[in-house]
Amino acid sequence: MAEPQPAAVHEGVDDDHPAAPASAEDRKAAAALSSLENRGEEDDAAARKSDLDQKALGEAMSRLEVAGKGKTTEEKKGADAVRKKTVKVDQGDVALLIEELDLTKVKATELLRAHEGDAVKAMRAFVSPAA
């Protein structure tokens, strides 16, 4: 004769899929574990999507550079610097601005270059309030 089975054991029940949790706390814990198990799959998908996004971004940036005739902002700044350097500044005017406006040599030179080397325009611009 067979021995009686305990009440917790049911014949033919698969242990891989336990019964639904009874309390709210058990359900929350089960949901958290489930999300952790699925997370590895989501991370792989997110990494692939990120790679695709980076590739699309790179292509878009290259198209922008072509549309902008290849000039980047650094090249534009370099072109502006070259235009500023073409202005001839008289050292006497630099000395005058240093003496009268109490500026450093660098600031006086920049002020003169900004006003095409004209000392009078540079002094007026320095003294007048900015609009």
Side-chain angles (χ1 to χ4, degrees):
M1 192 141 195
E3 294 180 16
Q5 296 275 335
V9 175
H10 300 285
E11 283 188 39
V13 175
D14 191 11
D15 287 338
D16 291 340
H17 301 289
S23 70
E25 251 181 59
D26 291 342
R27 284 191 295 270
K28 286 180 184 178
L33 285 173
S34 176
S35 69
L36 288 175
E37 290 172 357
N38 295 333
R39 185 175 214 146
E41 296 167 3
E42 292 173 4
D43 288 343
D44 293 340
R48 279 184 259 133
K49 185 179 180 200
S50 176
D51 291 341
L52 290 174
D53 289 345
Q54 289 294 328
K55 184 178 178 183
L57 179 64
E59 290 173 1
M61 292 299 290
S62 66
R63 278 184 255 142
L64 283 175
E65 288 176 2
V66 170
K69 297 180 184 173
K71 282 194 174 184
T72 61
T73 54
E74 291 176 9
E75 291 173 344
K76 290 176 185 175
K77 287 180 183 177
D80 290 341
V82 169
R83 275 188 251 136
K84 286 182 183 178
K85 292 181 181 178
T86 59
V87 176
K88 206 66 160 154
V89 177
D90 186 23
Q91 292 302 316
D93 292 340
V94 173
L96 177 68
L97 291 180
I98 291 171
E99 184 77 24
E100 296 299 321
L101 301 176
D102 196 30
L103 296 174
T104 64
K105 186 174 182 177
V106 174
K107 290 284 186 185
T109 305
E110 288 176 5
L111 188 61
L112 282 167
R113 283 188 180 149
H115 294 91
E116 301 157 0
D118 188 356
V120 175
K121 284 183 185 177
M123 291 174 100
R124 283 187 182 152
F126 184 79
V127 173
S128 67

